[in-house]
Amino acid sequence: RLLKYVVIRTPSNEESDTTPSTQCQFDLANVLKKEMKDLGICNVILTDSCFLYGKIPATPGYENAPAIGFIAHMDTVSDYCDHDIKPMITEKYDGEALALGESGVTLSPEMFPHLKNLKGRTLITSDGTTILGADDKAGIAEIVTAAEYLLAHPEIKHGRIAIGFTPDEEIGRGAHKFDVKKFGAEWAYTMDGGEIGEL
């Protein structure tokens, strides 16, 4: 799912005065809208400003539980995003310096000390010629995957769950047109972190 999302280029543009700041953010929003509907997420709404909302109903007996929301942003930084993004998968990462394709760029544990904690894991990076865009398409993939799991496992009890995907976070404007009422959650978590375990 993450690999599907990252190849859709969605850089925001701080020089734009529109919302979204770039129309390409709708390319991902429309893919997500269809995927959400196909999974059975209810009340899927994509606004003219590229805010995407959806709901998972409460399981029977939990309709009065507090509604909890999950949010992630669809845009990426505009740096190093001017051509096709080619994800690179490294299985059983050895914890050492990692060359990104043939770009001449290397991920180094000296520069990124948390890489040492990823030894033995599978890493997804770009090929070094672009950004990957995991910020925050990883958060989107987490939310959609969790929604898919909950919808497939009704034995997991929960109140109503709200989902929101927003534009333009990277330029500081992703929240100014966020419709809190339409989103409909009493509390929400933004799935946008750095190291494993961060929320």
Side-chain angles (χ1 to χ4, degrees):
R1 184 167 272 143
L2 175 62
L3 294 174
K4 179 171 79 172
Y5 298 160
V6 295
V7 297
I8 303 170
R9 289 192 291 146
T10 58
S12 47
N13 178 3
E14 64 187 351
E15 295 179 6
S16 169
D17 59 3
T18 64
T19 303
S21 63
T22 53
Q23 287 299 302
C24 63
Q25 293 178 69
F26 276 109
D27 295 342
L28 178 57
N30 283 308
V31 167
L32 292 170
K33 178 182 175 182
K34 180 181 186 313
E35 187 172 4
M36 290 165 72
K37 287 184 172 183
D38 289 348
L39 289 174
I41 295 171
C42 302
N43 304 107
V44 177
I45 298 169
L46 176 58
T47 72
D48 291 342
S49 299
C50 202
F51 289 80
L52 180 59
Y53 305 99
K55 303 263 189 314
I56 299 175
T59 50
Y62 288 78
E63 294 84 359
N64 293 324
I68 294 178
F70 296 95
I71 302 169
H73 63 91
M74 295 179 282
D75 67 313
T76 66
V77 295
S78 58
D79 305 318
Y80 307 104
C81 195
D82 60 350
H83 60 276
D84 289 348
I85 296 165
K86 296 177 181 166
M88 201 175 94
I89 299 172
T90 303
E91 296 184 7
K92 297 179 183 170
Y93 169 60
D94 63 9
E96 302 298 325
L98 176 65
L100 299 183
E102 298 178 7
S103 66
V105 176
T106 301
L107 286 182
S108 159
E110 286 72 38
M111 188 175 286
F112 303 102
H114 69 278
L115 284 172
K116 293 181 180 179
N117 299 328
L118 303 178
K119 185 175 181 177
R121 294 183 178 258
T122 298
L123 301 188
I124 302 173
T125 64
S126 77
D127 67 354
T129 65
T130 66
I131 60 162
L132 178 64
D135 176 9
D136 189 24
K137 292 171 185 173
I140 295 171
E142 292 165 357
I143 293 168
V144 175
T145 301
E148 179 181 42
Y149 190 86
L150 287 174
L151 289 164
H153 293 85
E155 69 276 10
I156 300 173
K157 307 301 181 191
H158 58 82
R160 185 165 40 82
I161 295 172
I163 296 169
F165 298 132
T166 65
D168 292 340
E169 186 268 0
E170 295 292 354
I171 58 172
R173 294 204 304 252
H176 76 300
K177 289 189 177 181
F178 186 79
D179 190 329
V180 174
K181 187 174 181 182
K182 188 175 287 183
F183 182 59
E186 296 182 50
W187 294 277
Y189 298 89
T190 296
M191 306 300 287
D192 187 353
E195 297 181 33
I196 287 180
E198 284 188 356
L199 182 64

